[in-house]
Amino acid sequence: MEKFEGVANTTFVPLVARIYISKKWPDFFYDAKALALEKYLPDDAAKGSFEYTNIASVARYYNMDKTVGAFIEKHDPCNVIYLGAGLESAYFRLTEKHGLKHTRYYECDLPEVTETRRKVFGENQQEKLIGGDMFALEWVDEISDRGLPTLLIVSGVFQYFHEEKILKFIEGLKKAFPGGQLLFDATSTKGLSFTNWFIKRTGNASALMYFGVDDAAAFATKAGTKLLEETQFFTEVRPLLGKRANLISRFSMKDSDDGKKSILVLLEL
């Protein structure tokens, strides 16, 4: 597998986490496709990762899958669009749990990432891969029916950019998908300090994070959108893992939830 530089290299961080958790706690989260990719990872892909960071990464997918699944069940037929998709394997997790239904899946990322994705995952039924810069919004023309209920998912991406660029991007989404929904994860400004320390540990010093959300409702207002839901990363994960997680992980999860350091935000465009 090609080794990416800079921001694109962070593609491997969530994949390593999904593999780690799928092996250790499959009752919490299991990703068969991620496990199948383990043999293709660079030797140093897991550099700097440890239990808590792996739990945090997978907690994001655990909660996002629930939100996306609920949207599919309520709105089928619909569009589910992953932006900055990387090697995200949600298509396989969701279709295994909810069936194909009439959901149209789209995954957009930079051309080199999309080509790697095409090699390892292929392009599957009711799925379309799009190579391009998500912020340029040229991918919008590739969506076959924008009149369908649409959920856009941005996972582990916004943090690497400045708020001005993100607000401009959301403005473009509002025009392209009026009444659609946007789901993204966010870190508080305090939480960014820890996250940037971790990124440096993984050798991705060129991929530091800048965007943080301390008040989801205030951000929704600033973006001219409606806040539908705010979810803490670990509300369900902590009782599910219990004392199986080590003391540092348990403390870090509680600290994150108490301080709203890691959240999922669902907006109506």
Side-chain angles (χ1 to χ4, degrees), residues 15-123:
L15 179 58
V16 166
R18 297 201 305 275
I19 292 169
Y20 175 93
I21 298 296
S22 293
K23 286 181 170 181
K24 189 166 186 177
W25 295 307
D27 61 314
F28 161 36
F29 184 89
Y30 185 78
D31 191 326
K33 278 293 178 181
L35 288 169
L37 291 184
E38 185 175 17
K39 60 186 177 183
Y40 299 113
L41 286 173
D43 293 338
D44 63 347
K47 178 184 176 183
S49 68
F50 52 97
E51 185 181 274
Y52 170 68
T53 57
N54 287 327
I55 293 173
S57 184
V58 167
R60 174 175 61 195
Y61 296 111
Y62 173 88
N63 287 296
M64 281 188 162
D65 282 2
K66 289 186 66 175
T67 300
V68 178
F71 184 88
I72 290 170
E73 292 295 337
K74 182 177 180 179
H75 295 288
D76 180 66
C78 60
N79 297 319
V80 171
I81 305 173
Y82 282 86
L83 301 172
L87 296 177
E88 166 62 272
S89 40
Y91 168 87
F92 302 97
R93 298 193 304 270
L94 291 166
T95 55
E96 181 179 351
K97 183 169 183 178
H98 299 277
L100 270 172
K101 296 187 179 292
H102 300 93
T103 306
R104 301 179 185 182
Y105 290 88
Y106 298 87
E107 286 94 10
C108 175
D109 210 317
L110 297 172
E112 63 270 26
V113 181
T114 298
E115 283 312 301
T116 297
R117 181 184 179 86
R118 196 185 306 277
K119 276 190 241 178
V120 298
F121 287 146
E123 193 160 357

Side-chain angles (χ1 to χ4, degrees), residues 132-139 154 157-158 161 165-166 169:
D133 179 355
M134 60 178 264
F135 287 101
L137 291 172
E138 293 175 356
W139 55 268
V154 181
V157 176
F158 279 166
F161 299 92
K165 185 168 187 173
I166 294 164
F169 174 67

Side-chain angles (χ1 to χ4, degrees), residues 17 79 95 117 121 125 134 144 161 167 185 189 192 218 235 258:
N79 297 319
T95 55
R117 181 184 179 86
F121 287 146
Q125 191 175 355
M134 60 178 264
S144 59
F161 299 92
L167 290 172
D185 60 306
T189 51
L192 287 180
T235 301
D258 289 348

Side-chain angles (χ1 to χ4, degrees), residues 170-266:
I170 293 175
E171 193 61 36
L173 293 183
K174 287 161 59 180
K175 293 175 182 177
F177 303 97
Q181 295 181 20
L182 172 65
L183 175 66
F184 67 93
D185 60 306
T187 305
S188 70
T189 51
K190 287 183 179 180
L192 287 180
S193 298
F194 170 80
T195 306
N196 281 331
W197 168 80
F198 170 66
I199 288 171
K200 290 176 182 178
R201 276 177 56 96
T202 64
N204 294 304
S206 60
L208 296 180
M209 295 185 175
Y210 307 99
F211 172 69
V213 173
D214 293 321
D215 185 329
F219 178 78
T221 299
K222 186 184 293 188
T225 61
K226 179 182 178 182
L227 178 64
L228 296 178
E229 189 173 87
E230 176 185 337
T231 306
Q232 305 298 317
F233 264 35
F234 305 109
T235 301
E236 294 187 14
V237 175
R238 287 164 59 199
L240 181 60
L241 291 181
K243 292 186 177 180
R244 292 186 294 170
N246 66 36
L247 185 60
I248 292 174
S249 296
R250 299 201 303 273
F251 171 82
S252 299
M253 286 189 282
K254 185 178 186 305
D255 179 64
S256 177
D257 278 354
D258 289 348
K260 291 189 175 182
K261 291 182 179 178
S262 298
I263 59 173
L264 295 185
V265 179
L266 181 63

Side-chain angles (χ1 to χ4, degrees), residues 149-170:
T150 299
L151 176 60
L152 303 114
I153 303 100
V154 181
S155 176
V157 176
F158 279 166
Q159 293 92 333
Y160 299 104
F161 299 92
H162 294 280
E163 184 179 79
E164 181 181 354
K165 185 168 187 173
I166 294 164
L167 290 172
K168 183 179 179 181
F169 174 67
I170 293 175

